[in-house]
């Protein structure tokens, strides 16, 4: 049982390049989330999904797209990376219903030059 | 949307003393309040949480209190130890109603002085 995993761990992009971050969970969780963490800002919600085939915007969705084609995977895409997207990205998941505890992945550190 | 304020941003205490971190929230619909501990370069780890139908919860040296009327909640760590040094985040969640996802405070860097 690996819990929540993220790939890659670290990536350097040039401005304008695209990439996809992958989050996978093996806990059969319904809900999945993408957050970004910047120094002094805490974690901010980018997008989330309450089930396979569904996605919704969070607090800071601009410049990102997501897809949830399979229940265990949640993909975060950057179509045209900008230096402002330099951050640490965390994925999280939880089961549905009254169990709100979110389990976080190890994070992806992204540097956009 | 929800707004969570967290204070102080840095807290330095002597080993063995108590530490208190305070948070306020704005959305009266919020009903779940977790606290996360994050060590440098690691993922946030849940240390304790409280739901809106409870006023206080304790787990060994850690306790959380919630005042729904005032919309604030606090983390209390007693008998602090060097391994308590980390960044602590409070968060709030208003589950249901179509929206989801935690709103985090900006974090408190807790330093335990030997």
């Amino acid at each position: 049982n690996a819990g929540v995993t993220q790939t890659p761990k670290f990536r350097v992009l040039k401005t304008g390049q695209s990439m996809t971050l992958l989050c996978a969970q093996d806990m059969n969780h319904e809900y999945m989330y993408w957050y970004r963490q910047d120094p002094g800002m805490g974690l901010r919600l980018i997008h989330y999904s309450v089930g396979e085939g569904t996605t919704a915007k969070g607090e800071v969705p601009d410049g990102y797209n997501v897809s949830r084609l399979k229940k265990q995977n949640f993909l975060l895409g950057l179509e045209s990376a900008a230096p402002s997207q330099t951050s640490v990205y965390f994925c999280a998941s939880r089961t549905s219903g009254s169990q709100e505890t979110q389990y976080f992945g190890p994070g992806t550190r992204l540097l956009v030059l | 949307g929800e707004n969570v304020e967290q204070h102080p941003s840095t807290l330095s205490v002597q080993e063995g003393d108590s530490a208190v971190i305070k948070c306020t929230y704005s959305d009266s619909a919020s009903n779940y309040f977790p606290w996360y501990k994050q060590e440098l370069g690691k993922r946030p780890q849940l240390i304790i949480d409280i739901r809106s139908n409870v006023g206080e919860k304790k787990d060994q040296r850690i306790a959380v209190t919630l005042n729904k009327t005032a919309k604030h909640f606090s983390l209390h760590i007693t008998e602090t130890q060097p391994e308590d040094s980390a960044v602590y985040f409070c968060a709030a969640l208003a589950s249901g109603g179509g929206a989801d996802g935690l709103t985090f405070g900006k974090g408190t860097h807790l330093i335990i002085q030997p």
Side-chain angles (χ1 to χ4, degrees):
Chain A
N1 190 334
V4 182
T5 59
Q6 293 182 232
T7 53
K9 290 183 172 58
F10 177 68
R11 183 77 183 268
V12 178
L13 287 180
K14 294 181 180 179
T15 297
Q17 288 184 319
S18 64
M19 78 163 294
T20 300
L21 283 66
L22 171 64
C23 176
Q25 51 92 8
D26 60 2
M27 298 176 283
N28 200 35
H29 284 171
E30 289 291 336
Y31 291 37
M32 297 187 73
Y33 309 84
W34 277 107
Y35 295 90
R36 61 177 287 174
Q37 183 174 32
D38 303 296
M41 294 294 294
L43 288 88
R44 292 181 292 170
L45 181 66
I46 305 171
H47 286 280
Y48 64 95
S49 168
V50 299
E52 182 178 326
T54 73
T55 63
K57 294 180 180 180
E59 179 186 355
V60 288
D62 293 344
Y64 305 95
N65 56 75
V66 288
S67 63
R68 184 97 180 269
L69 299 180
K70 294 182 179 180
K71 185 178 183 179
Q72 64 268 34
N73 295 338
F74 195 28
L75 279 64
L76 177 71
L78 287 73
E79 290 187 350
S80 179
S84 60
Q85 294 178 303
T86 292
S87 188
V88 180
Y89 293 86
F90 286 100
C91 174
S93 71
R94 71 173 178 95
T95 189
S96 60
S98 61
Q99 296 301 316
E100 299 98 337
T101 302
Q102 293 189 17
Y103 298 88
F104 282 82
T108 294
R109 188 173 297 274
L110 177 65
L111 175 61
V112 182
L113 301 175
Chain B
E2 175 65 276
N3 182 50
V4 176
E5 299 283 342
Q6 182 172 348
H7 300 279
S9 57
T10 303
L11 178 61
S12 180
V13 301
Q14 289 293 122
E15 182 179 348
D17 288 350
S18 296
V20 181
I21 302 171
K22 299 181 179 181
C23 290
T24 61
Y25 63 98
S26 62
D27 189 348
S28 57
S30 289
N31 52 16
Y32 172 67
F33 307 91
W35 286 88
Y36 285 85
K37 176 183 180 181
Q38 187 177 32
E39 297 175 344
L40 189 63
K42 301 289 183 63
R43 76 189 78 189
Q45 298 272 15
L46 179 73
I47 56 171
I48 196 168
D49 57 13
I50 191 167
R51 290 170 175 80
S52 58
N53 58 349
V54 176
E56 184 174 358
K57 183 177 179 180
K58 189 173 182 180
D59 182 4
Q60 298 183 349
R61 296 186 297 109
I62 296 173
V64 57
T65 58
L66 171 65
N67 183 326
K68 285 173 55 180
T69 303
K71 295 183 191 167
H72 67 71
F73 56 113
S74 301
L75 177 71
H76 304 252
I77 305 174
T78 58
E79 301 173 10
T80 53
Q81 301 169 2
E83 53 265 36
D84 295 330
S85 292
V87 179
Y88 292 80
F89 293 95
C90 62
L93 172 68
S95 58
D100 209 280
L102 291 167
T103 299
F104 285 82
K106 294 184 177 180
T108 295
H109 186 193
L110 177 62
I111 301 165
I112 308 301
Q113 302 280 5

